[in-house]
Amino acid sequence: MLDALQGLGRTTLDFFERLGRGHLFLLQTLSKLPGMLLRPRLVLVQLYSVGVLTLVITVVSGMFVGMVLGLQGYNTLVDFGAEEALGVVVALSLVRELGPVVAALLFAGRAGSALTAEIGLMKATEQLSGMEMMAVDPVQRVIAPRFLAAFLSMPLLAAIFSAVGIYGGYLLGVGVLGVDDGAFWGQMQSAVDLRDDIYNGVIKSIVFGFVAGWIALFEGYDATPTAEGVSRATTRTVVHTALAVLGLDFVLTALMFGE
Amino acid sequence: MPETVSTENSHSADAVVRIRGLHFSHGDRVIFDGIDLDIAPGRVTAIMGPSGTGKTTLLKLIGGQLRPSSGSIRVHGEEVPALNRAALYQLRKRMGMMFQSGALLTDITVFENVAYPIREHSRLPEALVRDLVLMKLQAVGLRGAADLMPSELSGGMARRVALARAIALDPMMVLYDEPFTGQDPISMGILVKLIRELNDALGLTSIVVSHDVQETAAIADYVYLLSHGKVVDHGRPEALWDSSSDWSQQFLEGRPDGPVAFHYPAPNFREDLLHGGRAR
Ligand SMILES: Nc1ncnc2c1ncn2[C@@H]1O[C@H](COP(=O)(O)OP(=O)(O)OP(=O)(O)O)[C@@H](O)[C@H]1O
Ligand SMILES: [Mg+2]
């Protein structure tokens, strides 16, 4: 009984300690961002490995998700004779929800896990310590450019996901199922609102990019410096990012479209 | 050459590193229990002791990567644990550290690894950087390996590259963590000579952590023997050999029995075996 209580206390303490470390880490990272203006090359290299290398999986997934939306949307709408509205359904689902959320989940699996493993291994092999002893700040040199790259690429990836998805819905709906071309685009154009839909979607993806980058980098930086520690940190990155993204999506949706 | 040598605290200014009453623990495990130690300028000082006594830990304390629980560590007259980040980084530019594991950056070549501190801390033209790097690599005999990736090096080679990197900025003090481990007799001999020659030619101060007693004693001007969180003996190598301390005798001659325990602290072996089922 006492043991159980003790265990509970310890777990709670550990949790809050980690939470504190995570926030300190975030503050430290944010304080180094202005310095990145002087070293744009560092960020560019990371934009490539974080953003560009995630592009393929994003485009392919976006295409499939868009086609599924086209198919499902058509089957439902056609019962009401409203298949003209297919463009609206596909575009709104993607821009408001699926684009930011699915792109963030893919990002966690592809780029987030890689970031955690990379940083964790650098820690385990004393590369971060080595930099510190060379008077090079690893947060400045290693963490900040990666964070910025994650933060910048997430909205772009989400936008690409949505755009490709809409095109997938178009291919299926107009090309295969015979929805009217003009109605598909026309209804979409009049129904999708720049502020309510597009901006809100972009805000979501900015928040998700921030959180995904933070979690991935912190897990790597805070990993136990062993092979096992790094592998556990990598798993945690994917799980925690997925939970955080879905939870935040609910909160943001409630705030944006609540009323 | 580094610009400033602090003149503050001039009464102990003859020691580059001055440690007093150092206490440090990893969790519950006490690593240092009151250590006093002075590193004289321009000398090669060896720190020896059994595996796990905290030699690497001591170097990290000197470099400001770990904070002592109490006690004073002064490097060039500056109290390391009290320095803010910027001052600490300023100090570290004057220190080179060769890590036990090498700690090379794995995503860039050997050449780029040695060039790394130079590029980070100076704006030298590329041709000059190249010359500097090749000179350092030549000194450790690995100029031919400049284009290899760290994953293509053996452990001993990686450590030599780490040495080249540690001296890349021409520091005032170099900390070597186990420089001789994993070296064949020839490169070992060259390294021993190199550490001594770098020290004398560049006017460095060197701290060599090692348990290779013969090699280390051959180049060290002064030796500290650590065990169980204390300095058990110190002095010039010749003097230590004649030391009356049983501990020093056993350690330096590598005899299996004596006051130095080979085992990590553990409960009685017989008890442990008999009560084998107990929870750990
Ligand atoms: N991060 C850590 N957490 C807890 N204990 C640690 C940690 N790092 C080292 N130790 C302990 O500190 C002690 C000293 O470690 P250190 O690496 O300084 O030894 P060392 O003298 O360099 O040994 P070696 O000669 O084998 O390199 C060891 O007994 C080790 O168990
Ligand atoms: Mg060691």
Side-chain angles (χ1 to χ4, degrees):
Chain A
M1 182 64 205
L2 213 61
D3 271 2
L5 270 180
Q6 221 169 26
L8 187 69
R10 166 133 326 275
T11 316
T12 318
L13 277 181
D14 285 351
F15 173 77
F16 281 107
E17 200 192 321
R18 244 177 93 76
L19 203 64
R21 278 206 307 276
H23 282 86
L24 283 178
F25 172 80
L26 181 64
L27 283 182
Q28 221 183 332
T29 308
L30 293 179
S31 74
K32 306 293 180 198
L33 290 185
M36 287 295 97
L37 290 175
L38 299 173
R39 318 270 313 251
R41 256 197 68 82
L42 288 180
V43 184
L44 277 182
V45 171
Q46 292 310 320
L47 270 176
Y48 177 77
S49 75
V50 168
V52 178
L53 294 182
T54 316
L55 200 59
V56 176
I57 185 179
T58 305
V59 167
V60 173
S61 312
M63 183 56 89
F64 281 126
V65 169
M67 292 198 298
V68 168
L69 277 176
L71 204 58
Q72 293 280 17
Y74 181 83
N75 283 339
T76 312
L77 290 171
V78 81
D79 292 343
F80 304 98
E83 66 270 22
E84 316 276 74
L86 184 63
V88 181
V89 170
V90 170
L92 285 185
S93 336
L94 280 166
V95 171
R96 283 184 176 184
E97 286 297 334
L98 291 175
V101 172
V102 179
L105 296 180
L106 292 172
F107 183 86
R110 170 64 183 79
S113 56
L115 283 175
T116 305
E118 187 187 11
I119 307 289
L121 275 177
M122 288 183 85
K123 184 178 179 189
T125 51
E126 292 195 296
Q127 293 182 53
L128 299 181
S129 276
M131 282 188 179
E132 278 182 17
M133 280 308 295
M134 289 187 278
V136 175
D137 182 357
V139 175
Q140 169 93 56
R141 190 63 173 64
V142 177
I143 304 290
R146 286 170 173 74
F147 180 78
L148 198 60
F151 181 68
L152 292 177
S153 33
M154 195 65 251
L156 296 175
L157 288 170
I160 291 170
F161 185 94
S162 296
V164 174
I166 290 172
Y167 189 65
Y170 167 80
L171 280 185
L172 205 100
V174 176
V176 180
L177 301 172
V179 174
D180 180 61
D181 198 351
F184 184 92
W185 293 117
Q187 293 220 7
M188 187 192 302
Q189 198 179 13
S190 58
V192 176
D193 185 73
L194 181 66
R195 213 188 66 82
D196 278 353
D197 303 318
I198 310 258
Y199 283 178
N200 280 342
V202 171
I203 290 173
K204 276 185 181 177
S205 63
I206 289 177
V207 173
F208 296 162
F210 187 91
V211 171
W214 176 21
I215 292 179
L217 292 167
F218 176 66
E219 287 293 354
Y221 198 73
D222 199 54
T224 314
T226 58
E228 198 213 353
V230 174
S231 93
R232 264 189 288 132
T234 310
T235 311
R236 270 205 305 268
T237 292
V238 177
V239 173
H240 290 182
T241 311
L243 289 176
V245 163
L246 294 172
L248 278 171
D249 184 49
F250 173 73
V251 174
L252 290 173
T253 307
L255 287 176
M256 290 167 173
F257 306 101
E259 270 73 330
Chain B
M1 270 278 98
E3 335 69 42
T4 53
V5 176
S6 174
T7 48
E8 180 209 337
N9 194 25
S10 51
H11 57 277
S12 70
D14 53 329
V16 177
V17 180
R18 183 171 175 278
I19 293 177
R20 289 293 176 270
L22 174 66
H23 289 258
F24 179 81
S25 325
H26 267 307
D28 294 337
R29 194 167 139 69
V30 176
I31 309 291
F32 295 125
D33 187 16
I35 285 205
D36 296 337
L37 190 146
D38 286 299
I39 307 287
R43 303 283 173 77
V44 177
T45 306
I47 296 176
M48 295 199 252
S51 181
T53 18
K55 302 181 297 294
T56 301
T57 309
L58 183 65
L59 293 187
K60 290 193 170 172
L61 282 160
I62 295 175
Q65 291 202 303
L66 294 172
R67 266 169 203 281
S69 26
S70 68
S72 140
I73 303 173
R74 282 181 170 273
V75 177
H76 294 301
E78 300 187 77
E79 184 66 37
V80 175
L83 291 179
N84 65 23
R85 209 178 174 77
L88 187 60
Y89 276 17
Q90 242 6 76
L91 184 65
R92 283 180 185 163
K93 285 187 201 169
R94 297 192 263 150
M95 283 184 205
M97 172 139 167
M98 194 200 107
F99 279 73
Q100 195 165 2
S101 61
L104 299 177
L105 301 174
T106 45
D107 56 342
I108 51 181
T109 62
V110 163
F111 180 94
E112 288 300 324
N113 261 289
V114 180
Y116 189 86
I118 305 176
R119 292 196 207 280
E120 285 292 320
H121 295 305
S122 70
R123 292 261 164 275
L124 296 181
E126 187 55 34
L128 196 52
V129 172
R130 195 183 125 82
D131 290 350
L132 279 174
V133 172
L134 291 183
M135 270 160 56
K136 308 291 175 190
L137 282 174
Q138 174 75 3
V140 297
L142 288 176
R143 189 167 47 84
D147 294 326
L148 296 183
M149 295 302 283
S151 57
E152 299 169 311
L153 302 177
S154 73
M157 287 161 82
R159 216 168 280 122
R160 272 145 76 194
V161 175
L163 200 163
R165 186 177 70 175
I167 55 172
L169 285 178
D170 292 328
M172 300 189 63
M173 176 165 80
V174 186
L175 317 178
Y176 301 92
D177 197 352
E178 310 278 5
F180 308 128
T181 324
Q183 302 295 342
D184 60 77
I186 298 173
S187 40
M188 169 109 89
I190 293 175
L191 274 182
V192 168
K193 251 182 75 189
L194 183 66
I195 291 177
R196 182 76 241 181
E197 280 172 3
L198 281 173
N199 188 81
D200 297 346
L202 302 179
L204 298 178
T205 303
S206 310
I207 305 180
V208 181
V209 160
S210 177
H211 18 226
D212 292 283
V213 175
Q214 300 301 331
E215 287 71 23
T216 315
I219 52 165
D221 297 308
Y222 206 81
V223 179
Y224 279 90
L225 292 180
L226 298 185
S227 175
H228 287 100
K230 304 261 191 211
V231 173
V232 281
D233 213 343
H234 59 102
R236 303 187 59 79
E238 321 75 83
L240 282 187
W241 247 265
D242 304 332
S243 155
S244 53
S245 149
D246 287 348
W247 196 99
S248 315
Q249 288 299 326
Q250 188 202 344
F251 183 78
L252 295 173
E253 286 170 23
R255 275 188 278 113
D257 41 41
V260 186
F262 162 65
H263 296 281
Y264 192 87
N268 183 294
F269 193 26
R270 188 183 144 84
E271 299 264 300
D272 217 1
L273 290 177
L274 288 177
H275 302 84
R278 84 210 158 102
R280 281 242 166 217

